[in-house]
Amino acid sequence: MHDDRTLVEARLGRVLAERIRPAVYPESVPLQVAVWHAPGEPVPVAEGLAAEPEPIAVGARWGAPWGTSWFRVTGTVPVAWAGRTVEALLDLGFDENMPGFQCEGLVHRPDGTPVKGLSPRNQWVRVGAPVAGGEQVRLHIEAASNPVILGHHDFRPTPLGDKDTAGREPQYTLTRMDLAVFDDNVWQLVQDLEVLGELMAELPVDCARRWEVLRAVERALDAVDLQDVNGTAGRARARLTGVLSTPAVPSAHRISAVGHAHIDSAWLWPLRETVRKVARTTANMTALVEDEPEFVFAMSQAQQWAWVKEHRPEVWALVKKAVAQGRFVPAGGMWVESDTNMPGSEAMARQFVHGKRFFLDEFGIENQEAWLPDTFGFAAGLPQIIRAAGSRWLLTQKISWSQTNSFPHHTFWWEGIDGTRIFTHFPPVDTYTCSMTGAEIAHAARNFKEKGRARHSLAPTGWGDGGGGTTREMVARAARLRDLEGSATVTWETPRAFFERAEADYPEPPVWVGELYLELHRATLTSQARTKQGNRRGEHLLREAELWAATAAVRAGFPYPYEELDRIWKTVLLHQFHDILPGSSIAWVHREARATYERVAAELTAVIESAQRALAGDGTLPLLFNAAPHARRGVPAGGAATPAVSGGTTTVAARAGGGFTLDNGLLRTGVDARGLVVSVHDPAADRESIAPGAAANLLQLHPDFPNMWDAWDVDAFYRNTVTDLTDAVSVTAGEDGTSVRIVRAFGASRVTQVLSLPPGERRLLIDTEVDWHETEKFLKLAFPLDVHAERYASETQFGHVHRPTHTNTSWEAARFEACNHRFVHLEEPGWGVAVVNDSTYGHDVTRTVRADGDRGTTTTVRVSLLRAPRFPDPETDQGVHRFRHALVPGASIADAVREGWRINLPERHTTGARAVAPLVTVDDDAVVLTAVKLADDGSGDVVVRFHEAHGGRARATLTAGFAVADVTVTDLLERPGGDGRPPVREGGRITVLLRPFELMTLRLRRG
């Protein structure tokens, strides 16, 4: 038989495009359109409905960047259409290839009732099915003219990312505003042919099923009269019944489809626009739930649910109804889909506390899964946090974006730093915006790495990023793929149903230990330094506010600010969203974030100062309030007292050949004429920290122009070119007599550094101020250390993770930029060095063997300070930045932990009438208190959260500074629960046994 396959396939493509799809709407009449442009920010629905619009014609330009326009469309259904289905086709000027990334609308009835959202792949509104004819149609569209930031010219700088710079040029052309007859039979034929055509393309050419489908499609096309598609569509569909009803083979891969719309809480749009995106999407999805009895939709991010409740109560009512039906499912149990690398221990825990509690309070639903499809890698401390929140599973997709190594599993146990394991799934469909195409479904089945051991995978289905959700076309495709030969099977299921099925299907999956590192988007650890500093400062201020407010509440009857702290926590958690904290949003987002963090800092500082006044009373006694989890200067952790006078002094002497020597008896530091640190000697160990012939405190500048994703990526080739900033404008002794001041100038920028050795302290402090005006550059701060180490430690949530310093494998080579919280630490047996910071996250560690001399090993730690990408914010990080780092020679891991806390929780000095004893103390420095607070339920119970921080086992006794009636081990939500051995209580003394890095929460009922 002659091979006419390509002929039939080409025929299908043209007939579908030019005859059958256009016949879905065989008749139409224009609507009358008028528009009112809101003068500033979006207005309430009632105001938009009441505004007096001006006529506008199809073909007219509309919509200044970030503007809001209220369109009123009116018309009459022709009497001749009686008995037929009629829809309004409302095309605001959409590009169908850009759902979620351009203009959108929410349709309302005249009384303000929401109907559904409009987006590039969802432009219709049902008027009647059937209509009587003669109906008056009146709809109002709240249309957002969001500009295209990431479009046909990817990653090019644009002023459109901030309303202050975007201008007023109209962005869109009104394209179609019609009433039209909807022919369901033709629409169904389109779905039939698209599914079969896509299935055909994925089957092997020598597969009999492919030819069977081809012949059925050919017969269907023969049955279509191209001059009367509407009259012959039924006949064509009949010829496809056989191939559409042939069941899948028993071994077919099984896909659980979950309706979804991954909506970035901010990204290429500001937070206020996400509020509206969520409303549009949820209005769409509740309508689809009503229309499609098998469809299930899952939405994560409790913050987005809260926005609907607060801002769109009329949409919230629809959501609540759909949730009650079990068809609209809260997912994920986190406040937002946050970054997981940079949030601190407590912040990561509170993401689950606030997320899960919202869904429990509103719906009585407890999520079992962490749902993070788009997050840029996963810290190794996360499994324990997920388990401590009462959850069991994790879903993500983003690891499939890794550029170097293909992750070996799709379903597996993920083991964290403490040994906790979480059942984890990466959907092999490799997208969190599946649209049910044949290519996607076939890819999922082929790509699934657990073949022969497991058979189930999940497909998040619907337009996302900018929202929109699942479409009726996707639902129709899924119906045809439910049980179709040649395809994986598709069933709508909730995330919980999928995970329970997958867990039962695969009782002994493989284990992956340690962080899930994304080999992409590494620069998100550095971009937008002010946003990252705001987050770090906010986290530590919240710790202080809770600690001192709880202490003052127990000791002095201070009114604990429950509502204020709850609100501020949610604000900080929102800004940990995976495009805000990582620095990958437009300028508008980060401009607002800076203002928000300033407000948060002021509010929390007021809480702290009020609580401290209540505790200390009025007096002249000098007091140091120590919020760190370790004693310092004679003041206990969590207490206040007159600080001990630091022993010793620091001298600054001129150095032969230029520069200065700083010496405080504990460290001796040589700073040469260039302002570089050429020696940090530890007298106790008689050990030099800096590698021979090298210099620390070395600022290094790299070109930084990645191949794509400017704010997100730094590519390995950036290291090929480096400029050492060794020229100094001045190197002078500081006026305080304990420091050296260095000024450098390069490009259009200027750096001022102050190096100091505080008396009585074993740390070299480095305060850096950068007035940054570079473009597409990467600034690093290097410490070449005379340490032979094959691995180093980086702090992460509730512990630390070890990474190799070598690049033996492609996995290690790909990890050329990594995350730490407050410290990195490297050591030889008996002697180590820590580099601690107050606000930076990105770093790299490399090793070389010196070719001559002692042939020792130089291990270089480089802190990432600043970048200057131009997309999506063309002015990223321009201006003045301040950083504080410390080099701590002779440091054990315990020293690194302590110094990391110390640099992030500066001393607070005040005067008062009395010292303040800690509310809770612990007798082992390896056990770190991360939170001391009152229980969220208002009971007055004291909640204490702590973990083993050194990586070993600990037996510690906590002592309460108040009468304790009872102690309960709880989960993160402060409910009874928890693993491990129960504590032993003797009065106010509580003894606990902890495994390495184990997290524990205790609830202490006051006597």
Side-chain angles (χ1 to χ4, degrees):
M1 185 173 183
H2 298 299
D3 183 354
D4 62 348
R5 175 178 54 84
T6 57
L7 189 69
V8 176
E9 291 171 353
R11 178 188 179 194
L12 172 62
R14 183 175 186 190
V15 171
L16 259 176
E18 297 184 23
R19 291 292 187 272
I20 301 178
R21 288 195 191 100
V24 170
Y25 293 105
E27 300 177 56
S28 64
V29 296
L31 288 159
Q32 290 75 52
V33 189
V35 65
W36 174 73
H37 304 292
E41 284 294 279
V43 299
V45 172
E47 185 176 341
L49 294 174
E52 190 59 41
E54 299 286 336
I56 186 174
V58 167
R61 300 282 291 169
W62 72 278
W66 307 113
T68 300
S69 299
W70 280 84
F71 289 94
R72 184 187 68 197
V73 295
T74 56
T76 304
V77 176
V79 174
W81 291 359
R84 304 170 79 178
T85 298
V86 175
E87 294 181 345
L89 300 181
L90 308 172
D91 186 345
L92 299 172
F94 298 125
D95 179 341
E96 289 193 359
N97 296 315
M98 301 188 68
F101 291 91
Q102 51 172 228
C103 60
E104 298 169 1
L106 180 58
V107 181
H108 299 79
R109 296 188 178 91
D111 64 359
T113 304
V115 180
K116 66 187 293 286
L118 297 178
S119 58
R121 296 294 182 97
N122 208 327
Q123 304 177 20
W124 57 274
V125 175
R126 183 63 56 89
V127 171
V131 295
E135 292 96 334
Q136 297 298 307
V137 176
R138 183 185 180 99
L139 298 171
H140 298 261
I141 307 166
E142 180 193 24
S145 51
N146 302 332
V148 175
I149 306 294
L150 181 62
H152 301 296
H153 302 292
D154 293 348
F155 316 118
R156 295 193 184 175
T158 173
L160 293 173
D162 196 326
K163 65 177 180 178
D164 291 345
T165 59
R168 301 294 301 168
E169 183 70 22
Q171 299 291 292
Y172 297 101
T173 300
L174 198 62
T175 301
R176 185 175 187 181
M177 293 278 158
D178 289 346
L179 285 177
V181 171
F182 175 76
D183 191 325
D184 182 69
N185 210 25
V186 176
W187 184 83
Q188 297 288 355
L189 177 60
V190 170
Q191 313 315 311
D192 291 344
L193 290 172
E194 286 183 344
V195 167
L196 290 171
E198 291 169 1
L199 173 65
M200 214 167 31
E202 296 302 322
L203 294 170
V205 174
D206 59 359
C207 171
R209 174 63 169 167
R210 178 164 183 160
W211 291 91
E212 181 184 50
V213 172
L214 183 82
R215 293 303 163 213
V217 167
E218 183 178 39
R219 290 192 296 271
L221 295 175
D222 289 342
V224 176
D225 181 345
L226 298 184
Q227 276 67 52
D228 185 16
V229 174
N230 300 89
T232 56
R235 186 170 67 195
R237 291 198 70 205
R239 297 190 178 184
L240 299 173
T241 303
V243 290
L244 284 170
S245 60
T246 306
V249 298
S251 61
H253 185 66
R254 298 173 182 176
I255 293 176
S256 296
V258 179
H260 190 49
H262 167 71
I263 303 178
D264 287 306
S265 290
W267 180 28
L268 305 179
W269 44 86
L271 288 167
R272 68 91 152 143
E273 193 53 36
T274 312
V275 174
R276 301 202 296 175
K277 283 178 174 287
V278 173
R280 292 188 283 263
T281 300
T282 51
N284 253 351
M285 295 302 94
T286 52
L288 196 59
V289 163
E290 289 290 326
D291 293 342
E292 301 290 348
E294 295 184 352
F295 174 63
V296 176
F297 182 77
M299 189 169 94
S300 67
Q301 306 191 74
Q303 171 69 86
Q304 296 187 0
W305 292 69
W307 279 333
V308 178
K309 180 181 179 183
E310 177 184 357
H311 296 281
R312 298 287 176 143
E314 67 282 6
V315 180
W316 180 247
L318 302 174
V319 169
K320 290 184 67 176
K321 177 184 175 183
V323 171
Q325 296 169 348
R327 310 269 306 288
F328 199 114
V329 182
M334 295 175 67
W335 190 247
V336 294
E337 289 182 13
S338 74
D339 179 79
T340 77
N341 286 309
M342 291 176 281
S345 303
E346 272 305 305
M348 202 73 255
R350 304 299 175 97
Q351 286 286 352
F352 288 90
V353 169
H354 287 282
K356 295 193 76 169
R357 189 171 286 151
F358 180 89
F359 294 136
L360 282 164
D361 291 347
E362 294 295 334
F363 308 112
I365 292 173
E366 177 153 11
N367 304 97
Q368 294 293 301
E369 74 288 332
W371 184 275
L372 293 165
D374 191 31
T375 295
F376 309 151
F378 299 88
L382 189 58
Q384 180 175 205
I385 298 171
I386 294 172
R387 183 74 71 183
S391 295
R392 301 163 53 191
W393 309 305
L394 168 67
L395 177 134
T396 185
Q397 181 273 320
K398 200 69 171 190
I399 298 298
S400 70
W401 285 41
S402 285
Q403 290 180 316
T404 306
N405 298 284
S406 176
F407 196 79
H409 314 298
H410 282 112
T411 303
F412 59 99
W413 285 114
W414 177 29
E415 182 178 316
I417 55 174
D418 73 311
T420 297
R421 291 180 176 180
I422 293 294
F423 189 80
T424 302
H425 181 66
F426 293 172
V429 71
D430 279 350
T431 178
Y432 48 80
T433 59
C434 175
S435 55
M436 282 290 135
T437 65
E440 290 169 330
I441 300 305
H443 175 75
R446 284 194 300 264
N447 188 40
F448 188 54
K449 291 184 170 68
E450 272 59 58
K451 286 189 285 285
R453 296 183 182 273
R455 296 175 57 190
H456 289 85
S457 71
L458 185 143
T461 302
W463 299 115
D465 290 318
T470 319
T471 65
R472 61 183 177 185
E473 288 79 14
M474 296 174 194
V475 176
R477 289 168 176 267
R480 287 157 175 81
L481 296 170
R482 171 186 286 277
D483 190 13
L484 182 63
E485 184 185 356
S487 172
T489 66
V490 176
T491 306
W492 293 106
E493 284 192 308
T494 65
R496 185 186 190 109
F498 161 75
F499 273 108
E500 288 176 341
R501 188 187 303 275
E503 211 169 13
D505 184 44
Y506 201 11
E508 296 183 6
V511 178
W512 180 271
V513 178
E515 66 184 325
L516 294 169
Y517 180 88
L518 177 63
E519 296 171 353
L520 192 74
H521 293 359
R522 302 168 182 89
T524 58
L525 302 173
T526 306
S527 296
Q528 298 287 359
R530 293 186 190 90
T531 299
K532 291 169 171 58
Q533 289 179 324
N535 173 73
R536 180 77 70 85
R537 187 70 178 130
E539 289 180 352
H540 287 86
L541 285 169
L542 276 161
R543 171 195 171 82
E544 289 192 81
E546 289 183 338
L547 169 66
W548 300 126
T551 305
V554 173
R555 296 277 169 70
F558 180 78
Y560 193 80
Y562 292 100
E563 293 183 0
E564 187 174 3
L565 289 173
D566 180 81
R567 173 179 54 79
I568 294 173
W569 261 118
K570 288 173 179 174
T571 299
V572 171
L573 297 178
L574 166 60
H575 286 79
Q576 291 176 342
F577 178 75
H578 65 252
D579 276 307
I580 303 179
L581 180 55
S584 47
S585 288
I586 56 174
W588 189 347
V589 173
H590 292 289
R591 171 171 56 80
E592 289 189 333
R594 290 192 293 273
T596 297
Y597 283 130
E598 289 177 5
R599 185 178 69 251
V600 161
E603 291 178 320
L604 290 172
T605 299
V607 171
I608 291 164
E609 291 176 349
S610 295
Q612 290 177 343
R613 281 195 299 272
L615 286 165
D618 295 327
T620 59
L621 181 70
L623 294 173
L624 185 159
F625 275 83
N626 178 19
H630 308 94
R632 60 181 171 191
R633 296 183 61 189
V635 180
T642 300
V645 177
S646 298
T649 59
T650 298
T651 61
V652 178
R655 186 172 176 272
F660 299 90
T661 298
L662 295 85
D663 194 335
N664 67 358
L666 299 176
L667 291 178
R668 185 171 63 252
T669 299
V671 181
D672 71 7
R674 302 169 298 171
L676 300 180
V677 175
V678 291
S679 173
V680 181
H681 186 260
D682 175 4
D686 192 19
R687 175 78 183 250
E688 175 58 56
S689 307
I690 308 303
N697 189 44
L698 174 63
L699 290 163
Q700 295 183 303
L701 193 66
H702 296 271
D704 185 17
F705 189 65
N707 289 344
M708 57 193 305
W709 298 109
D710 294 37
W712 294 256
D713 283 358
V714 56
D715 290 326
F717 55 72
Y718 89 92
R719 290 180 172 178
N720 296 350
T721 306
V722 60
T723 300
D724 292 342
L725 302 179
T726 58
D727 293 338
V729 174
S730 62
V731 179
T732 57
E735 294 180 1
D736 60 2
T738 65
S739 63
V740 173
R741 184 174 184 271
I742 304 110
V743 178
R744 305 187 194 280
F746 59 94
S749 301
R750 190 176 182 88
V751 176
T752 302
Q753 289 185 298
V754 176
L755 310 183
S756 58
L757 280 181
E761 297 181 9
R762 293 172 51 86
R763 58 177 183 158
L764 172 64
L765 281 176
I766 303 167
D767 289 288
T768 304
E769 179 180 285
V770 187
D771 189 4
W772 181 246
H773 297 285
E774 303 308 299
T775 299
E776 294 164 353
K777 295 290 192 297
F778 196 3
L779 185 64
K780 292 262 190 176
L781 180 63
F783 299 89
L785 304 170
D786 189 12
V787 178
H788 177 86
E790 293 186 359
R791 67 176 192 170
Y792 72 99
S794 291
E795 188 184 34
T796 189
Q797 293 98 1
F798 299 110
H800 55 265
V801 62
H802 286 104
R803 300 187 182 99
T805 59
H806 56 75
T807 56
N808 282 358
T809 71
S810 60
W811 295 85
E812 292 151 357
R815 206 167 300 189
F816 59 80
E817 184 81 3
C819 182
N820 68 280
H821 287 183
R822 288 170 287 240
F823 70 80
V824 297
H825 176 262
L826 58 156
E827 66 179 342
E828 298 171 2
W831 195 88
V833 182
V835 178
V836 300
N837 72 84
D838 74 342
S839 60
T840 55
Y841 296 92
H843 70 278
D844 67 84
V845 178
T846 55
R847 67 197 296 271
T848 59
V849 174
R850 300 187 285 274
D852 47 19
D854 64 356
R855 289 181 295 157
T857 301
T858 299
T859 304
T860 301
V861 177
R862 297 201 309 163
V863 176
S864 303
L865 294 181
L866 289 165
R867 298 182 69 239
R870 301 186 66 206
F871 182 88
D873 175 3
E875 299 296 320
T876 300
D877 276 336
Q878 300 299 295
V880 176
H881 303 268
R882 295 177 180 86
F883 307 96
R884 170 167 277 199
H885 295 84
L887 182 70
V888 189
S892 65
I893 197 71
D895 296 322
V897 172
R898 183 187 64 252
E899 294 297 337
W901 280 101
R902 181 182 197 174
I903 203 169
N904 280 274
L905 286 165
E907 298 174 355
R908 289 187 181 273
H909 292 271
T910 186
T911 58
R914 54 189 173 268
V916 179
L919 197 60
V920 179
T921 61
V922 61
D923 66 354
D924 186 344
D925 272 358
V927 176
V928 170
L929 302 181
T930 60
V932 178
K933 59 191 286 293
L934 294 194
D936 291 341
D937 61 7
S939 63
D941 294 353
V942 175
V943 171
V944 183
R945 187 150 35 250
F946 51 91
H947 71 289
E948 195 290 317
H950 296 173
R953 295 184 181 272
R955 179 186 182 93
T957 298
L958 284 77
T959 302
F962 55 93
V964 176
D966 190 26
V967 59
T968 305
V969 180
T970 75
D971 65 6
L972 294 179
L973 277 71
E974 302 170 8
R975 305 172 299 189
D979 302 323
R981 285 169 286 188
V984 177
R985 182 174 72 89
E986 295 179 3
R989 291 169 53 84
I990 303 153
T991 300
V992 297
L993 298 176
L994 300 176
R995 65 180 182 270
F997 300 130
E998 182 178 359
L999 156 68
M1000 184 177 285
T1001 305
L1002 297 182
R1003 183 173 181 138
L1004 310 181
R1005 183 162 59 85
R1006 290 152 62 187

